[in-house]
Amino acid sequence: MNINQLVFRNLKKNLKNYYLYVFALVFSVALYFSFVTLQYSPALDEVKGSIKGGASIKTASILIIVIVGIFLLYANSIFIKRRGKEIGLLQLIGMTKQKITKLLNAENFILYMISMAIGIFAGFIGSKLMLMVLFKVTGVNAIANLHFSGMALLQTIIVFLLIYILIMLRNRRFIKKQTILALFRTTSSTEQRVKKISVFEIIIGVMGIVSISSGYYISSQLFNGSFTSMPSLFLAMIFILGSVIIGTFLFYKGSVSFIANIVRKRKNGYLAIHEVLSLSSIMFRLKSNALLLTIITTVSALAIGLLSFSYISYYSAEKTAEQNIPAHFVMGSEKGAATFTRALSDKHIAYEEQQFKVIQADFDVKKIIDTELISLDENPGVLTLPVISEKNAPNFHVENDEVILSGYNDLMRKFMPIKSSGDVQLLIKKPLTLKVIDMKRDYLISYRFTFSGSLPVAVVSQEVFEQLDQKKDPKLQFENNQYIAINVKDEKQIEQGNDVFTSLKMSDGSMSRLEESQQQKQATGLLMFVVGFLGLSFLVTSGCILYFKQMNESEEEQSSYTILRKLGFTEKDLLRGIRLKQLFNFGIPLLVGLLHSYFAIQSGWFLFGGELWTPMLIVMSIYTVLYSVFGFLSVQYYKKVIKESL
């Protein structure tokens, strides 16, 4: 038998073990090629011009290289260790290490090139689907056409050939370092096995739980006024990051074993076979993979968190636009309003117009605001707020000595906590003391008057408003202090009205709520698209890594299954324990990752939009379902190993 025949026989023999590795490689090549093809696609020009789509996709493609490169190197190291006995036998029959390296490199090259060819073809086909998804989420009206890019092909080939060279060098180093005896023991010498939990491990376990809990607690207090200066806020963030990551490592190193040992002791040693199979893995195997599981958990939490934040922004785009622009259209000048209303009438679009004055005034707010996070300019405790009359605010009623603050959103509640009662002073020539009687969420004027929506509007009585109008400070006023709102009466004609607004191309600061919503969806849609595919890339690679680990464990434990089967335990008995074991092996990193992401999202979601639960739960549910697929595949592999054990 020559070396060529040996290569193809080995490929055929190991193909059943390589199928998921091949799938992950094909998926990685396809995803990368799709992204690079999008980067060079002429159809993306419209997105590039508005939201810098090319730069975002280029950044994503670089991150994909990092994720895929690390995964392929790690997966290759697992598979070459599994072939340790085979490599040792080849050395025993007289093959040199150099020839064995060539043999493995030839096998990898064939497998790699076939996977690359399939991946490039799939990526070319998938690039159209990705482009359609991108246009859908960003609201771009364009036709998604297939576009083949020679530059994208060349870039993909170069990147994955470099990864292949790194794999060859790592294989060569592995074979060169190993002795024949060590090669026969590569799959049998793995996780440490101990008979009882030491005091040190108990301490580590408790420290892990305490560290994670303290990080969660500080994150829940991050923006509720507990940290009233930027240095303390920054230190709190550093503490959260450090305590959660270190706590996660200690959790896998000691907490899991500690908890499992408590469960075992509570049963006084009387464990069913399914409990033995699951608890032994939890107690002695997870801690040996503590670093790997910490990385997977942390990056999973990061992926879920970033995707949730981007989806919160996307999901909240319409609500955010409604907060920024309360009416369908807000005009920047009376001339612009006249032009627009005339155009609406020409198109037979019925509308309602509202116009009133907005005055900027200084308020002494020291008695109702207590924070150092907000810079209060030259006069500490003084804020410049927009003021309107109660007659222009429907369903609002105030007396002459009262004021209502409206437009108080979730972001402001975190960064500028306002007391529910207290007095403010309207700073005019003769200051007026006004009692704050309510703080509402209603948005009454556009963000042009509220400093990009960061401040509430003060609603006062008509008498106080007239007095303020006479004594207002000219230096504080906008050049145009008229708020002109136009609402289309028939909701079905809003899009038609927006088309009219767009066609006029007014440059006087006029705004359309629908256009604002579409622009926000474009910006956040691209971010969600990029983060989503990066998250999918990491999910597939990390899921495959955990699956490969379970393949190794199942083959190491095959002799134990043989003994158990000979003792009379059925395949059903063993599978029950295996299912429970996989529930822990895949479920614990997933659950911890979900908890990390939940507390991260909970502490800062209001910075990204007005909706929390729906977008967050959708992201977490999709991630959980996709992640569970790898747990199911590992159970199926164990099932095959158990069948072959007897």
Side-chain angles (χ1 to χ4, degrees):
M1 180 185 298
N2 59 37
I3 194 167
N4 292 333
Q5 291 174 320
L6 190 59
V7 167
F8 285 105
R9 286 192 65 177
N10 280 344
L11 270 177
K12 185 178 179 181
K13 176 185 173 184
N14 291 301
L15 196 59
K16 61 181 180 180
N17 296 328
Y18 280 122
Y19 71 94
L20 196 58
Y21 174 69
V22 172
F23 163 76
L25 181 56
V26 169
F27 173 82
S28 302
V29 174
L31 187 63
Y32 180 75
F33 183 70
S34 297
F35 263 94
V36 180
T37 300
L38 287 183
Q39 185 181 330
Y40 292 104
S41 175
L44 203 64
D45 287 344
E46 185 173 349
V47 180
K48 286 181 182 177
S50 57
I51 46 179
K52 309 299 180 186
S56 301
I57 291 174
K58 185 176 181 179
T59 303
S61 63
I62 293 171
L63 291 174
I64 288 175
I65 293 173
V66 176
I67 294 171
V68 169
I70 293 173
F71 161 68
L72 291 177
L73 288 169
Y74 184 84
N76 178 75
S77 68
I78 292 177
F79 279 109
I80 197 170
K81 285 180 181 178
R82 294 184 67 215
R83 299 183 65 180
K85 289 183 180 179
E86 179 187 342
I87 296 169
L89 284 172
L90 291 174
Q91 287 192 42
L92 283 176
I93 63 173
M95 286 188 70
T96 64
K97 289 186 176 182
Q98 188 176 3
K99 284 187 176 180
I100 295 171
T101 302
K102 288 181 179 179
L103 174 67
L104 290 177
N105 288 340
E107 289 180 25
N108 272 338
F109 183 79
I110 294 171
L111 198 66
Y112 209 85
M113 291 303 109
I114 293 173
S115 300
M116 274 186 63
I118 297 172
I120 288 172
F121 177 75
F124 174 62
I125 301 299
S127 63
K128 180 175 181 178
L129 176 62
M130 292 179 69
L131 196 59
M132 291 170 63
V133 172
L134 178 58
F135 286 166
K136 179 68 176 177
V137 297
T138 56
V140 173
N141 293 320
I143 299 174
N145 294 317
L146 278 174
H147 171 74
F148 183 81
S149 170
M151 285 296 296
L153 176 63
L154 180 62
Q155 193 170 319
T156 303
I157 291 173
I158 291 173
V159 165
F160 282 90
L161 280 180
L162 288 174
I163 295 174
Y164 171 72
I165 291 171
L166 290 175
I167 290 174
M168 284 196 305
L169 293 174
R170 186 160 184 173
N171 287 350
R172 181 182 177 184
R173 183 171 177 270
F174 173 81
I175 295 172
K176 190 176 181 180
K177 285 181 61 178
Q178 299 295 323
T179 63
I180 294 178
L181 182 60
L183 287 168
F184 278 97
R185 291 162 47 185
T186 53
T187 57
S188 59
S189 57
T190 55
E191 286 80 357
Q192 55 186 327
R193 297 180 182 275
V194 292
K195 293 186 178 179
K196 77 183 217 178
I197 306 297
S198 66
V199 175
F200 179 69
E201 287 177 322
I202 293 175
I203 294 172
I204 287 177
V206 174
M207 285 176 60
I209 295 173
V210 171
S211 182
I212 293 175
S213 300
S214 62
Y216 287 171
Y217 174 76
I218 297 299
S219 71
S220 66
Q221 304 295 313
L222 200 59
F223 295 112
N224 68 351
S226 299
F227 303 96
T228 57
S229 66
M230 291 307 297
S232 64
L233 184 63
F234 178 74
L235 289 174
M237 290 179 174
I238 295 296
F239 174 80
I240 292 167
L241 186 64
S243 65
V244 169
I245 292 176
I246 294 171
T248 302
F249 178 77
L250 296 178
F251 176 78
Y252 289 124
K253 202 71 179 173
S255 303
V256 176
S257 301
F258 174 55
I259 295 169
N261 192 53
I262 292 175
V263 173
R264 187 175 67 171
K265 284 191 173 183
R266 288 187 63 182
K267 291 182 175 286
N268 296 320
Y270 296 100
L271 300 175
I273 185 63
H274 67 274
E275 293 171 329
V276 172
L277 290 173
S278 57
L279 284 177
S280 62
S281 175
I282 296 167
M283 292 178 68
F284 307 127
R285 286 189 180 271
L286 285 185
K287 65 182 178 183
S288 63
N289 298 321
L291 181 60
L292 173 66
L293 292 174
T294 300
I295 294 171
I296 289 177
T297 300
T298 304
V299 182
S300 290
L302 183 64
I304 295 171
L306 290 176
L307 187 54
S308 295
F309 285 137
S310 61
Y311 191 40
I312 285 170
S313 297
Y314 184 82
Y315 192 87
S316 306
E318 292 182 5
K319 185 175 180 180
T320 303
E322 187 176 343
Q323 293 175 1
N324 292 336
I325 307 172
H328 295 152
F329 304 94
V330 174
M331 311 313 297
S333 65
E334 294 183 13
K335 182 180 178 181
T339 302
F340 180 56
T341 52
R342 188 164 52 249
L344 289 178
S345 299
D346 292 342
K347 294 289 185 180
H348 306 290
I349 300 174
Y351 62 89
E352 293 177 339
E353 183 176 353
Q354 184 186 23
Q355 181 174 345
F356 55 84
K357 185 182 292 186
V358 179
I359 301 174
Q360 301 292 328
D362 284 339
F363 285 82
D364 185 337
V365 295
K366 288 193 290 288
K367 292 185 178 179
I368 62 169
I369 295 180
D370 181 19
T371 180
E372 297 175 15
L373 289 175
I374 304 295
S375 173
L376 299 178
D377 301 324
E378 300 175 358
N379 302 317
V382 176
L383 281 180
T384 302
L385 300 178
V387 184
I388 65 172
S389 169
E390 64 171 331
K391 75 173 187 178
N392 297 314
N395 304 318
F396 280 58
H397 177 70
V398 290
E399 300 295 337
N400 290 337
D401 61 344
E402 297 174 339
V403 63
I404 294 176
L405 301 179
S406 193
Y408 189 58
N409 59 23
D410 293 307
L411 179 61
M412 289 180 58
R413 288 178 188 273
K414 296 290 184 179
F415 283 102
M416 190 191 291
I418 299 179
K419 296 177 182 178
S420 56
S421 62
D423 295 336
V424 297
Q425 276 196 327
L426 177 57
L427 301 178
I428 52 180
K429 289 184 179 180
K430 186 179 179 181
L432 291 177
T433 300
L434 303 174
K435 182 181 180 182
V436 178
I437 60 170
D438 202 356
M439 293 179 293
K440 294 183 177 291
R441 290 177 176 267
D442 304 61
Y443 297 89
L444 305 173
I445 56 178
S446 67
Y447 64 88
R448 182 171 74 89
F449 294 100
T450 59
F451 300 94
S452 299
S454 60
L455 296 175
V457 57
V459 182
V460 298
S461 67
Q462 178 63 21
E463 184 178 331
V464 172
F465 186 81
E466 291 174 357
Q467 185 178 350
L468 173 63
D469 193 18
Q470 294 174 359
K471 301 177 181 179
K472 65 189 176 189
D473 185 350
K475 295 179 182 178
L476 300 177
Q477 308 312 308
F478 288 103
E479 185 177 345
N480 177 19
N481 64 355
Q482 292 294 314
Y483 175 72
I484 307 171
I486 296 174
N487 286 297
V488 176
K489 289 184 178 180
D490 188 352
E491 295 283 336
K492 296 178 182 178
Q493 292 184 305
I494 292 176
E495 287 192 16
Q496 187 180 353
N498 187 67
D499 292 337
V500 173
F501 177 86
T502 305
S503 65
L504 293 175
K505 297 180 180 179
M506 289 182 286
S507 58
D508 58 355
S510 297
M511 297 176 286
S512 163
R513 183 200 295 174
L514 182 59
E515 188 175 1
E516 175 85 2
S517 174
Q518 290 172 346
Q519 289 175 355
Q520 288 190 33
K521 282 189 174 182
Q522 276 196 342
T524 58
L526 177 64
L527 177 63
M528 186 175 66
F529 173 82
V530 171
V531 173
F533 276 97
L534 285 175
L536 180 63
S537 173
F538 177 77
L539 185 148
V540 171
T541 54
S542 60
C544 286
I545 287 172
L546 289 178
Y547 175 81
F548 296 153
K549 294 291 291 183
Q550 294 309 302
M551 287 174 62
N552 273 352
E553 288 184 17
S554 65
E555 292 177 2
E556 291 170 21
E557 296 170 354
Q558 189 171 24
S559 58
S560 301
Y561 300 146
T562 302
I563 295 171
L564 290 171
R565 291 292 300 277
K566 287 180 178 179
L567 288 174
F569 291 103
T570 65
E571 183 181 326
K572 185 178 180 181
D573 294 330
L574 299 183
L575 276 176
R576 186 182 175 191
I578 294 303
R579 290 191 185 97
L580 190 59
K581 173 184 175 180
Q582 297 314 308
L583 180 64
F584 285 116
N585 284 330
F586 285 87
I588 290 176
L590 175 64
L591 180 62
V592 176
L594 289 174
L595 281 173
H596 288 356
S597 61
Y598 168 76
F599 279 95
I601 296 165
Q602 188 70 31
S603 66
W605 66 273
F606 48 84
L607 298 171
F608 297 87
E611 298 287 341
L612 169 64
W613 289 103
T614 301
M616 183 181 70
L617 291 177
I618 288 174
V619 170
M620 288 184 171
S621 299
I622 293 174
Y623 200 92
T624 300
V625 170
L626 293 176
Y627 203 84
S628 301
V629 171
F630 294 97
F632 173 77
L633 290 175
S634 67
V635 171
Q636 296 304 111
Y637 191 85
Y638 265 94
K639 188 175 182 180
K640 184 188 76 170
V641 171
I642 291 172
K643 282 183 178 179
E644 295 173 352
S645 65
L646 192 62

